[in-house]
Amino acid sequence: MNLPLPVLGWLRRYDPNWLRGDVVAGITLAAYLLPAGLGDASLANLPPQAGLYACLFGGLVFWLFCSSRHTSITVTSAISLLVGASLGEIAGGDTTRFSALAAATALLAALIAFIAWLVKAGSIVNFISESVMVGFKCGVALFLASTQLPKLFGIHGAHGNFWHNTGYFLHHLHETNATSLTIGSAALAVLVLGKIFLKNKPVALFVVVGAIVASSLLGLDTRGVKLLGEVPQGLPDIGLPAIHWPDANQLLPLAFACFLLAAVETAAIGRTFAAKHGGRLDANQEFLALAASNLAAGLGRGFPVSGGMSQSLVNEGGGARTPLSGAVAAGIMLVVVLFFSRLLRALPQTVLAAVVLVAVAGLFKVSTLKQLWRGNRPEFVVAMAAIVGVLGQGLLRGVMIGAIISLVLLIRRASRPHVALLGRIPGTRRFSDCERNPDNELIPGALIFRPESSLVYFNMDHVRDTILDRVRAEAVPPKLVVLDLSAAPLVDMHSAHMLASLAEELTAAGQRVQAVEARSSVRSRLRAEGADVRLGGIDRFTSVADALEAFLEKTTI
């Protein structure tokens, strides 16, 4: 089977003048990915080289398959926290087994992404609502703070949920290492100022390099400051991780959650850049890119990767014109891993905690929560439920709670479609929703209803009850009920029978029923189920205005 390679398309159109922008962007991106890889590896409770391997191997292949010109593949805080919080119990305290399980999770996520690509399941990313993602990311940010603040203060941190970690931190504040706090606070201040005044610049890299130099010159380890420790130089053994078959069953829910987060985040990034620069995002193609990059990361002893928003913005800001910038960044990381990774051993962990805290500070979107509170209370409740799910049930269950909430919301909305009561737009033969347009004219003796969705088995009861309740609420019962089916692209067998039953009930009460403006597929379904006769006969010519004019002519004669 020939795999589609979008890279071949833009290579044929590649303008040599783009090369400088791609190289500069790749160098800038690599400078950003290095500290991010180290920081997120610590979130995943993995050795620092795991983050470098994941970014390196994922980056080497992602650019070949992705459809977005600016999306950068990387380890992300949300997925890293998910991996770190979920694998501890399975690994049983064995660090070697923990690393193998993390790599296996990436391979399973790759398999799920590949299957999603095969079945063209690109629409799956739309099943997680934006409000759920806002709540999930806010919960992740709070959980992250509970894991990184102890490192910033030089305190031995706890390994539990948000409430346990926060309680432990507050109870042990008196154990703060003043040197660690000073170094970490200085790094935090520089990073925050850099984020404000030097946007999309590799400030984190300069902080990391400066911290390594200061640690070596000042002997910070002798003052109780914990250092990163030894980082192996060179490439790992490439191959399948050493796990057992039962482990795969335990890892499957985690792998699916990682895939879901990666799919939603990567698609959101791609859509953002497509809207900004033009072009079209192929969500299915991004699944293939995620499958390839996670396969490479898993075989290369990394852990699950995803498109990263901040990294992609850095890539765009650096002047990237094509995905080649990602290949340049991966090449630079390869050089670092082969020749310079041992220099990282002197990095203070308090500085790494500062890097992580600043990198994910954008996850907690207070302004978005305020906007939801003011504009859409139900969506705000959903976001808060996702936050509570993450903080109370853990990250993995929080993802699942978010997915379930999204599906429940989708089903609820689909099961209660709006049924518009139509009125005539003054001076015209056109009709629209009276709720939105109070100036519309109601027709004496007639009611016009327009169900604004497909009519299927799980929403037809709501549509039927809405129409009957409004008809029965009229002080003077109407003589004509018009059903405008123009906004119903689909009517299933159950709904066809329900429409016939509705017509019979209205007819028995003295109302004439006329269905109009049904689409061809809907007309075919109603005829096949024998419902068209009871709905006044259905054709493709009669409009709402025609049905009402015929009714008015009869009533005036």
Side-chain angles (χ1 to χ4, degrees):
M1 179 175 61
N2 293 322
L3 297 180
L5 296 177
V7 68
L8 296 179
W10 59 257
L11 277 178
R12 295 191 190 100
R13 306 186 304 271
Y14 196 85
D15 186 339
N17 294 324
W18 296 347
L19 183 60
R20 182 179 181 277
D22 284 337
V23 171
V24 172
I27 295 171
T28 307
L29 178 61
Y32 198 89
L33 287 175
L34 283 167
L38 297 172
D40 286 334
S42 72
L43 293 182
N45 292 326
L46 288 165
Q49 64 269 21
L52 300 181
Y53 296 156
C55 292
L56 165 61
F57 290 107
L60 285 175
V61 298
F62 182 80
W63 69 287
L64 292 171
F65 297 91
C66 67
S67 64
S68 172
R69 289 181 295 165
H70 299 96
T71 301
S72 171
I73 197 73
T74 180
V75 288
T76 66
S77 301
I79 291 179
S80 300
L81 280 169
L82 191 59
V83 169
S86 304
L87 292 182
E89 186 175 344
I90 303 175
D94 185 337
T95 55
T96 302
R97 177 168 161 75
F98 195 107
S99 297
L101 290 171
T105 302
L107 295 178
L108 284 174
L111 177 61
I112 295 170
F114 185 72
I115 293 172
W117 172 73
L118 281 179
V119 301
K120 300 187 183 304
S123 59
I124 193 174
V125 299
N126 298 321
F127 280 85
I128 300 286
S129 68
E130 184 61 26
S131 56
V132 170
M133 286 303 297
V134 168
F136 174 78
K137 290 179 179 180
C138 287
V140 166
L142 292 173
F143 180 80
L144 170 67
S146 74
T147 63
Q148 297 303 300
L149 283 176
K151 294 180 182 179
L152 191 71
F153 281 69
I155 301 170
H156 180 73
H159 300 286
N161 61 28
F162 169 79
W163 308 109
H164 176 72
N165 293 346
T166 302
Y168 182 93
F169 171 67
L170 295 175
H171 185 69
H172 290 79
L173 264 178
H174 64 279
E175 299 175 7
T176 297
N177 182 292
T179 305
S180 290
L181 182 57
T182 301
I183 297 292
S185 298
L188 197 61
V190 173
L191 289 166
V192 171
L193 291 173
K195 210 169 183 63
I196 296 172
F197 298 107
L198 298 171
K199 290 182 178 180
N200 297 334
K201 302 300 180 183
V203 176
L205 179 66
F206 292 106
V207 169
V208 166
V209 171
I212 291 173
V213 172
S215 175
S216 302
L217 293 177
L218 302 176
L220 294 181
D221 55 332
T222 62
R223 304 187 184 189
V225 177
K226 296 178 182 178
L227 305 182
L228 185 62
E230 198 65 39
V231 179
Q233 190 163 297
L235 295 176
D237 295 329
I238 307 298
L240 295 173
I243 66 166
H244 305 291
W245 180 250
D247 293 330
N249 290 330
Q250 289 183 284
L251 293 176
L252 197 56
L254 172 61
F256 182 77
C258 290
F259 160 72
L260 202 58
L261 284 178
V264 171
E265 189 77 7
T266 306
I269 294 167
R271 282 197 296 262
T272 299
F273 289 123
K276 186 174 181 180
H277 299 282
R280 176 182 173 273
L281 175 76
D282 186 343
N284 286 312
Q285 190 63 38
E286 299 302 277
F287 283 167
L288 183 59
L290 284 174
S293 53
N294 276 286
L295 175 64
L299 294 176
R301 300 297 187 265
F303 56 101
V305 291
S306 164
M309 178 59 83
S310 57
Q311 291 86 347
S312 299
L313 288 172
V314 167
N315 190 34
E316 180 206 28
R321 302 297 298 273
T322 72
L324 184 62
S325 60
V328 173
I332 294 173
M333 294 197 69
L334 177 61
V335 173
V336 171
V337 168
L338 288 175
F339 303 108
F340 302 108
S341 58
R342 286 183 180 173
L343 299 177
L344 298 171
R345 66 174 304 277
L347 176 64
Q349 288 199 12
T350 184
V351 172
L352 195 56
V355 170
V356 172
L357 285 170
V358 172
V360 299
L363 290 177
F364 198 94
K365 298 190 178 291
V366 177
S367 59
T368 305
L369 289 175
K370 288 181 179 178
Q371 184 179 350
L372 287 175
W373 172 258
R374 290 192 298 264
N376 195 323
R377 294 293 173 85
E379 293 290 335
F380 175 80
V381 172
V382 169
M384 294 305 298
I387 293 175
V388 172
V390 170
L391 298 183
Q393 300 297 320
L395 292 175
L396 181 55
R397 291 181 181 177
V399 174
M400 298 306 175
I401 289 172
I404 291 170
I405 290 173
S406 293
L407 289 174
V408 168
L409 280 176
L410 182 65
I411 293 170
R412 183 179 183 277
R413 287 168 183 162
S415 67
R416 298 178 61 83
H418 179 57
V419 180
L421 176 66
L422 305 185
R424 181 161 49 201
I425 301 173
T428 72
R429 296 180 77 249
R430 297 179 61 82
F431 295 79
S432 63
D433 190 350
C434 291
E435 184 178 334
R436 290 180 173 272
N437 304 283
D439 295 336
N440 284 2
E441 301 169 349
L442 293 176
I443 308 301
L447 289 177
I448 313 161
F449 298 98
R450 184 177 64 204
E452 297 187 339
S453 80
S454 294
L455 301 180
V456 290
Y457 63 95
F458 58 80
N459 67 17
M460 192 57 210
D461 281 341
H462 171 76
V463 172
R464 178 179 179 276
D465 292 344
T466 301
I467 293 173
L468 287 176
D469 289 346
R470 180 56 197 249
V471 170
R472 291 166 181 166
E474 291 293 297
V476 178
K479 296 179 181 179
L480 174 69
V481 174
V482 178
L483 298 179
D484 178 359
L485 299 180
S486 61
L490 171 70
V491 172
D492 67 2
M493 181 178 69
H494 174 80
S495 297
H497 290 299
M498 289 282 284
L499 284 172
S501 173
L502 171 65
E504 288 178 351
E505 189 169 346
L506 291 172
T507 302
Q511 284 93 32
R512 186 165 74 84
V513 179
Q514 178 67 59
V516 298
E517 300 193 29
R519 304 185 186 193
S520 59
S521 60
V522 173
R523 295 197 303 270
S524 298
R525 167 61 72 182
L526 293 174
R527 287 171 184 150
E529 302 302 329
D532 57 323
V533 175
R534 281 172 281 186
L535 291 169
I538 296 178
D539 57 51
R540 56 184 176 146
F541 304 107
T542 306
S543 66
V544 174
D546 294 335
L548 287 170
E549 286 174 359
F551 164 72
L552 292 174
E553 286 178 6
K554 290 182 180 180
T555 57
T556 55
I557 292 176

